[in-house]
Amino acid sequence: MSTIGILGGGQLGRMLALAGHPLGHSFVVLTPDAGAPAAPVAETIVAAYDDRAALEALAARCDVVTYEFENVPPVAVDVLRDLVPVRPGGLALEVASDRVREKTLFGELGIPTVPYAAVDAARDMDAAVRYAGLPAVLKTRRLGYDGKGQRVLRRSGDVDGAFTGLGAVPLILEGFVDFRRELSIVAVRGLDGATAFYPLVENRHEGGILRFTRAPAPNLEPEHQAKAEGYATALLEALDYVGVLALELFDDGVELLANEIAPRVHNSGHWTLEGAETSQFENHLRAITGAPLGSCRARGESAMINLIGDAPDPLAIQAVPGAHLHLYGKTPRPGRKLGHVTVTASDASTLDARVERL
Amino acid sequence: MSTIGILGGGQLGRMLALAGHPLGHSFVVLTPDAGAPAAPVAETIVAAYDDRAALEALAARCDVVTYEFENVPPVAVDVLRDLVPVRPGGLALEVASDRVREKTLFGELGIPTVPYAAVDAARDMDAAVRYAGLPAVLKTRRLGYDGKGQRVLRRSGDVDGAFTGLGAVPLILEGFVDFRRELSIVAVRGLDGATAFYPLVENRHEGGILRFTRAPAPNLEPEHQAKAEGYATALLEALDYVGVLALELFDDGVELLANEIAPRVHNSGHWTLEGAETSQFENHLRAITGAPLGSCRARGESAMINLIGDAPDPLAIQAVPGAHLHLYGKTPRPGRKLGHVTVTASDASTLDARVERL
């Protein structure tokens, strides 16, 4: 039974705390927002993430510290790691918050990706386009999420001005892959190095935001699960990782191409709350507290639907058999993730009918 | 999305709050104990249950009030019900907190029980023993739980002094039933009168405290589920009940005999957290907030083991596949319920092996 610190008090912190109270853990979140989603289920320290005194206060209260987003300011990890175990460690954060380092690591580990090139200045653009081809996606190396900080370059006319259009910060140009679908795998590694893997899931995005996950991914090539687990294992070991890590992959019909990692619990793993033997939130906590990992086995067929922007109708959702509502306690706002619904069923056609109703 | 008040901040209140945050609800518990198990996941009003000002403050904060124990002081319901909906209503509390009224209601509804007799004075004892026979169990009419406030009378020599031995308060003498096993059914009734029923489970007690639940109950007579649902339906309707109600039954190999009701979520329903489509905690909240009820279907085979007295070893428990730990944040003390483990498996023999390991 540990006191667990979390950097960030959003829905991921909230769901970690909800999963962790039954395990006997206590939670302290550091968040700049007094009304953060995690606040009703955890103690809160309201401060900026780079507030040294607040970070020291967090470390003094906790046995271990984790985080719910990858763009943690480096100073936070620097302050914390001398005082308290930080899991996953700083290396995972460094890699995951820099798209070029991330892609470089994929390459070093023999994990296929789309062609890409770093763009540190406007003068790098032409060479990058020649290498990655067009269409391509130009993204900020850092601080991008949910489709923000990126633009698609379709024609050579789109290239000019694109660098300054994204703020003249370090960028990456990624070749456009005509993928059939996006998959992801949520993996977990314990303090003792044991690993476990949830089944691959299929994700659908709209406007750069995840809308829908189907678990396990239907119509999977038989070798893809083993391949994805191999990639995830290589990453977990290279990063000496402890906790849950998500790996997003493009399935182009032949190969799996790594897109990005998230060094944390992940939206594409929310289905595990009711759809797996042990949820990703519980397994993350088991890992960082040194407990044995729980089974990642799927319980039947599941789907996850994000509730975005408009206030959902909880009664209509609860009227659908197998639907489980997860609200985050947020005020509705366009594009905001307000909650999600996990839907479970014992077979795919029942699941599809339930998803259709929602 | 409601603000829900709970009288009592024990493990049941804690698990209600943990189940309710994902539904978007907020929780305020009234408890005399500032360190109550529910405190980390709910706002708390620390006061006695009969503190009028505190009850008024609770009512002012909440859309609906419920409770986690049946021995709520009548003044609490009197104060609250003029200010806020109290669900389940006061009638259920009155009946469930008085073993004679409870047995009388069973009789009125045609639900079989053991023979019993009210004992209001020492002079009633002889007639009660003649009617109920020996051996028999002498219990306080009110405020008994977990085997407290009762004694077994085996011989006529045990009768003398038994009335004063239990405090010279109103008692009930219940004929001893040589039952094969204890079963229970957890039922739920919505605000619209809809009902749903979990499968019958088998319970094992030691020292008057529930130790183990097996769900669904193995080797069930085919008609027993329907019979139990019929009894529960009659009770829910007679009490105009809203929420979860548990009915404990003796299975004597032929008949089901009603033992007692609990007008609340119940220890014998804790297996539903992972073992049923919708947990008893979520269904209680759905009912009292006017939401549609969730499915009570079992997900495979389950067991529930109470953790009593000594501090459990969380790592050893988490090492067992299918085991889910639920700690209540309490300090160990002899006879105290500190938590429980639910164990799930897809078949009975796997479940038995897992339970054996625990």
Side-chain angles (χ1 to χ4, degrees):
Chain A
M1 283 94 87
S2 307
T3 300
I4 296 170
I6 305 175
L7 295 176
Q11 61 265 25
L12 303 179
R14 175 183 172 98
M15 289 187 277
L16 283 168
L18 287 169
H21 285 291
L23 306 179
H25 302 311
S26 305
F27 292 86
V28 185
V29 302
L30 175 63
T31 167
D33 173 13
V41 293
E43 273 183 64
T44 50
I45 297 175
V46 179
Y49 296 120
D50 58 2
D51 179 328
R52 279 178 179 270
L55 291 162
E56 285 165 7
L58 181 71
R61 291 274 299 108
C62 295
D63 302 304
V64 57
V65 170
T66 189
Y67 39 86
E68 55 140 40
F69 62 111
E70 48 269 48
N71 296 308
V72 174
V75 63
V77 179
D78 286 345
V79 171
L80 289 170
R81 71 177 154 204
D82 292 335
L83 303 170
V84 65
V86 178
R87 295 177 187 142
L91 179 59
L93 275 178
E94 283 174 40
V95 168
S97 63
D98 179 337
R99 293 182 194 278
V100 173
R101 284 201 62 177
E102 188 176 53
K103 288 277 196 305
T104 305
L105 180 62
F106 292 151
E108 287 166 5
L109 298 172
I111 303 172
T113 66
V114 297
Y116 69 92
V119 178
D120 294 326
R123 66 174 174 275
D124 298 338
M125 281 296 296
D126 285 345
V129 168
R130 272 195 306 276
Y131 178 69
L134 285 183
V137 190
L138 190 64
K139 300 176 177 177
T140 54
R141 273 180 71 161
R142 294 177 169 276
L143 293 170
Y145 64 96
D146 283 353
K148 290 166 194 160
Q150 54 182 270
R151 63 165 65 181
V152 177
L153 310 185
R154 299 192 185 282
R155 291 165 288 275
S156 53
D158 296 339
V159 175
D160 221 34
F163 181 77
T164 47
L166 279 171
V169 294
L171 302 176
I172 183 173
L173 187 72
E174 299 179 357
F176 207 78
V177 57
D178 186 20
F179 60 88
R180 262 188 22 201
R181 58 180 180 172
E182 193 207 278
L183 304 176
S184 62
I185 187 164
V186 172
V188 58
R189 184 164 179 264
L191 202 51
D192 61 355
T195 53
F197 306 91
Y198 292 94
L200 276 165
V201 301
E202 179 176 335
N203 302 313
R204 290 178 217 152
H205 294 76
E206 277 173 43
I209 303 182
L210 181 66
R211 297 279 161 166
F212 181 80
T213 296
R214 180 74 175 74
N219 310 313
L220 206 59
E221 301 295 325
E223 72 277 17
H224 277 180
Q225 181 70 27
K227 203 174 258 186
E229 291 187 10
Y231 297 161
T233 301
L235 288 161
L236 292 169
E237 291 181 357
L239 297 170
D240 193 17
Y241 198 91
V242 177
V244 159
L245 175 139
L247 170 62
E248 293 182 12
L249 299 153
F250 298 125
D251 175 6
D252 69 3
V254 183
E255 271 222 281
L256 295 180
L257 303 176
N259 179 30
E260 61 182 39
I261 59 171
R264 52 170 170 80
V265 288
H266 191 252
N267 199 163
S268 74
H270 289 1
W271 66 276
T272 62
L273 281 166
E274 287 88 12
E277 192 67 55
T278 313
S279 80
Q280 66 165 347
F281 304 100
E282 179 168 341
N283 256 335
H284 185 70
L285 298 173
R286 287 185 182 223
I288 67 171
T289 59
L293 302 180
S295 162
C296 294
R297 203 174 56 84
R299 302 184 79 184
E301 302 283 332
S302 300
M304 188 286 310
I305 301 166
N306 268 339
L307 303 170
I308 297 172
D310 297 324
D313 176 356
L315 301 193
I317 291 167
Q318 290 174 89
V320 177
H324 297 273
L325 183 60
H326 296 273
L327 294 176
Y328 307 150
K330 292 179 177 176
T331 314
R333 189 198 298 159
R336 200 174 201 202
K337 289 179 184 169
L338 302 174
H340 73 270
V341 183
T342 46
V343 198
T344 56
S346 49
D347 61 89
S349 62
T350 307
L351 183 73
D352 291 344
R354 290 172 177 183
V355 169
E356 194 56 44
R357 273 188 67 184
L358 289 160
Chain B
M1 283 93 87
S2 306
T3 300
I4 296 171
I6 306 176
L7 295 175
Q11 63 263 26
L12 302 180
R14 175 183 171 99
M15 289 187 276
L16 284 168
L18 286 170
H21 285 292
L23 305 178
H25 303 310
S26 305
F27 292 86
V28 185
V29 301
L30 175 62
T31 167
D33 173 12
V41 292
E43 272 183 65
T44 50
I45 297 175
V46 180
Y49 295 122
D50 58 1
D51 179 328
R52 279 179 180 271
L55 291 161
E56 284 164 9
L58 180 72
R61 292 274 298 108
C62 296
D63 301 305
V64 57
V65 170
T66 189
Y67 40 85
E68 55 141 38
F69 63 111
E70 49 270 47
N71 296 309
V72 173
V75 62
V77 180
D78 285 347
V79 171
L80 289 171
R81 71 176 154 206
D82 292 335
L83 303 170
V84 65
V86 178
R87 295 175 187 145
L91 179 59
L93 274 179
E94 285 174 38
V95 168
S97 63
D98 179 338
R99 294 182 193 278
V100 173
R101 284 202 61 179
E102 190 177 51
K103 288 276 196 305
T104 306
L105 180 63
F106 291 152
E108 286 166 4
L109 298 173
I111 302 172
T113 66
V114 296
Y116 69 92
V119 177
D120 294 326
R123 66 173 176 276
D124 298 339
M125 281 296 296
D126 285 346
V129 169
R130 274 197 304 279
Y131 179 69
L134 285 182
V137 191
L138 191 63
K139 300 177 177 175
T140 54
R141 273 180 70 161
R142 294 177 169 277
L143 293 172
Y145 64 98
D146 283 351
K148 291 166 194 161
Q150 53 182 271
R151 63 165 66 180
V152 177
L153 309 184
R154 301 193 182 281
R155 292 165 289 274
S156 53
D158 297 338
V159 175
D160 221 34
F163 182 77
T164 47
L166 279 172
V169 293
L171 302 175
I172 183 172
L173 186 73
E174 299 179 359
F176 206 80
V177 57
D178 185 20
F179 60 88
R180 263 188 19 199
R181 58 179 179 172
E182 193 206 279
L183 304 175
S184 62
I185 186 165
V186 172
V188 56
R189 184 164 180 266
L191 202 53
D192 61 355
T195 53
F197 306 91
Y198 292 94
L200 275 166
V201 301
E202 179 176 335
N203 302 314
R204 290 178 217 152
H205 294 76
E206 276 172 44
I209 303 182
L210 181 66
R211 297 278 161 167
F212 181 82
T213 296
R214 181 72 176 75
N219 310 314
L220 206 59
E221 301 294 325
E223 72 277 17
H224 276 179
Q225 181 70 27
K227 203 175 258 185
E229 291 186 11
Y231 297 161
T233 301
L235 288 161
L236 292 169
E237 289 179 358
L239 298 169
D240 193 17
Y241 198 91
V242 177
V244 158
L245 175 138
L247 170 62
E248 293 182 12
L249 299 152
F250 298 125
D251 175 7
D252 69 3
V254 184
E255 269 222 283
L256 294 180
L257 303 175
N259 178 30
E260 62 182 38
I261 60 171
R264 52 170 170 80
V265 287
H266 191 252
N267 198 164
S268 75
H270 289 2
W271 67 276
T272 62
L273 281 166
E274 287 88 12
E277 193 68 55
T278 313
S279 81
Q280 66 166 347
F281 303 99
E282 177 168 340
N283 254 335
H284 185 70
L285 298 173
R286 286 184 182 224
I288 67 171
T289 59
L293 303 180
S295 162
C296 294
R297 201 174 57 83
R299 302 183 80 183
E301 302 283 330
S302 298
M304 188 287 309
I305 301 166
N306 269 339
L307 303 171
I308 297 173
D310 297 322
D313 176 357
L315 300 193
I317 292 166
Q318 290 173 89
V320 177
H324 297 273
L325 183 61
H326 296 271
L327 294 176
Y328 307 151
K330 292 178 177 177
T331 313
R333 190 197 297 161
R336 198 172 203 203
K337 289 180 184 170
L338 302 175
H340 73 270
V341 183
T342 47
V343 197
T344 56
S346 50
D347 62 89
S349 63
T350 306
L351 183 72
D352 291 343
R354 291 173 175 182
V355 168
E356 196 55 45
R357 273 188 67 182
L358 288 161

